[in-house]
Amino acid sequence: MHPTLNIAIKAARRAGQIINRASLDIGQLQVSTKQQNDYVTEVDKAAESAIIDILRETYPKHAILAEETGRSGQEDSEYQWIIDPLDGTTNFIHGFPQYAVSIAQVHKGTLAHAVVYDPSRNELFTASKGAGAFLNDKRIRVSKRTKLDEALLGTGFPYRMFDHVDAYLAIFKEMTKRTAGVRRPGAASLDLAYVACGRLDGFWEFGLSPWDMAAGALLISEAGGLVSDLAGESNYLATGNIIGGTPKVFSQILQVIAPHRQGALAA
């Protein structure tokens, strides 16, 4: 295992400990609203601080992009860490056990290392570019499904910006008619990790932030899947729109979305 990935794992597990402790008494949480339907707790902040402390201890000059504290570190560094300390905060504050810690490292603009850690199930998804993807140290691959009508897909409903909800609903309607099912668990990093390990056959969502997608995208790529934006390009971290899946399911998702792209691209 790459030494950098080991540091990321250490940081993710430390954050997971903070989250698990807090989950024992959710009623005591102090919750504030960043914007409509977008929440933050002291747990998000404590977990993020713990992650950053560990990363800075080893890599003091690396740039950091984190959900709660934004950009920090040396901006011109070749390395950037992209961090979501608690992806699925809304789930967490309701006691719904679908949330994760997401940490990715980018080197010269390319995803290099990824960790998605589910503290409630103690499931650790990891990947390094060119070295494969793993769940608790066991190699994982995307599913072998090739047909959209047999595929189970994940998605995320619009929850902050609703300007393009009609385009999303049109796509959702088409997907529900043409697949085996669609699920919306509420934590994009875990949804992407589930595609990587074959629990889902594909995923799409609009309007995400880089920290929602970075680690999960590398997991899928290293597990043999494909990831893109709505145009089939690799610009998803910038656009916030992402599609991932097994190679053949991925291409069929793209085809379903294509007629609705104009309405969704501005999302």
Side-chain angles (χ1 to χ4, degrees):
M1 185 179 290
H2 196 285
T4 299
L5 187 60
N6 269 324
I7 297 298
I9 290 170
K10 178 182 177 183
R13 288 197 180 278
R14 181 74 58 81
Q17 290 171 355
I18 293 169
I19 293 165
N20 278 342
R21 271 201 310 271
S23 72
L24 299 175
D25 195 2
I26 291 174
Q28 296 302 310
L29 286 179
Q30 294 181 9
V31 180
S32 55
T33 304
K34 292 188 284 187
Q35 54 182 306
Q36 183 181 5
N37 296 333
D38 193 4
Y39 305 99
V40 63
T41 72
E42 68 266 34
V43 180
D44 297 73
K45 297 174 182 177
E48 183 168 295
S49 179
I51 292 167
I52 291 173
D53 286 349
I54 289 172
L55 297 180
R56 281 185 174 155
E57 184 178 345
T58 308
Y59 305 110
K61 295 184 178 180
H62 286 191
I64 291 174
L65 174 63
E67 179 176 17
E68 306 308 335
T69 54
R71 297 181 184 275
S72 62
Q74 196 167 304
E75 282 296 314
D76 60 352
S77 174
E78 293 181 351
Y79 298 91
Q80 183 187 49
W81 292 93
I82 303 178
I83 302 164
D84 191 336
L86 179 51
D87 180 26
T89 299
T90 301
N91 285 349
F92 177 74
I93 62 180
H94 287 84
F96 188 84
Q98 188 76 3
Y99 45 81
V101 180
S102 179
I103 303 173
Q105 190 203 59
V106 175
H107 180 223
K108 295 182 177 179
T110 300
L111 289 166
H113 302 286
V115 176
V116 173
Y117 179 50
D118 178 349
S120 68
R121 298 176 180 86
N122 194 29
E123 290 192 333
L124 181 74
F125 298 86
T126 59
S128 292
K129 186 170 177 58
F134 298 82
L135 168 53
N136 291 344
D137 297 324
K138 183 179 179 181
R139 184 71 181 262
I140 55 175
R141 302 284 297 180
V142 295
S143 80
K144 296 180 179 179
R145 284 192 184 82
T146 60
K147 297 179 180 179
L148 188 63
D149 63 4
E150 297 175 354
L152 181 65
L153 303 187
T155 189
F157 302 148
Y159 68 100
R160 284 180 300 199
M161 296 177 62
F162 300 96
D163 295 348
H164 310 282
V165 70
D166 290 342
Y168 176 83
L169 290 175
I171 294 167
F172 182 81
K173 179 180 179 180
E174 200 66 25
M175 292 296 189
T176 55
K177 290 195 299 185
R178 296 180 57 176
T179 64
V182 178
R183 302 289 182 264
R184 200 280 188 186
S189 64
L190 268 185
D191 294 338
L192 295 167
Y194 282 14
V195 173
C197 71
R199 294 175 184 171
L200 293 170
D201 305 302
F203 175 82
W204 89 97
E205 188 168 356
F206 311 147
L208 292 172
S209 299
W211 47 79
D212 299 315
M213 300 177 282
L218 183 60
L219 286 169
I220 292 175
S221 297
E222 288 299 317
L226 297 176
V227 183
S228 80
D229 58 19
L230 303 190
E233 305 295 336
S234 60
N235 209 27
Y236 49 89
L237 290 182
T239 65
N241 304 323
I242 189 168
I243 300 168
T246 75
K248 292 194 174 178
V249 170
F250 166 87
S251 64
Q252 292 167 77
I253 295 173
L254 266 179
Q255 289 172 8
V256 172
I257 289 176
H260 308 282
R261 269 184 59 208
Q262 204 56 44
L265 276 175

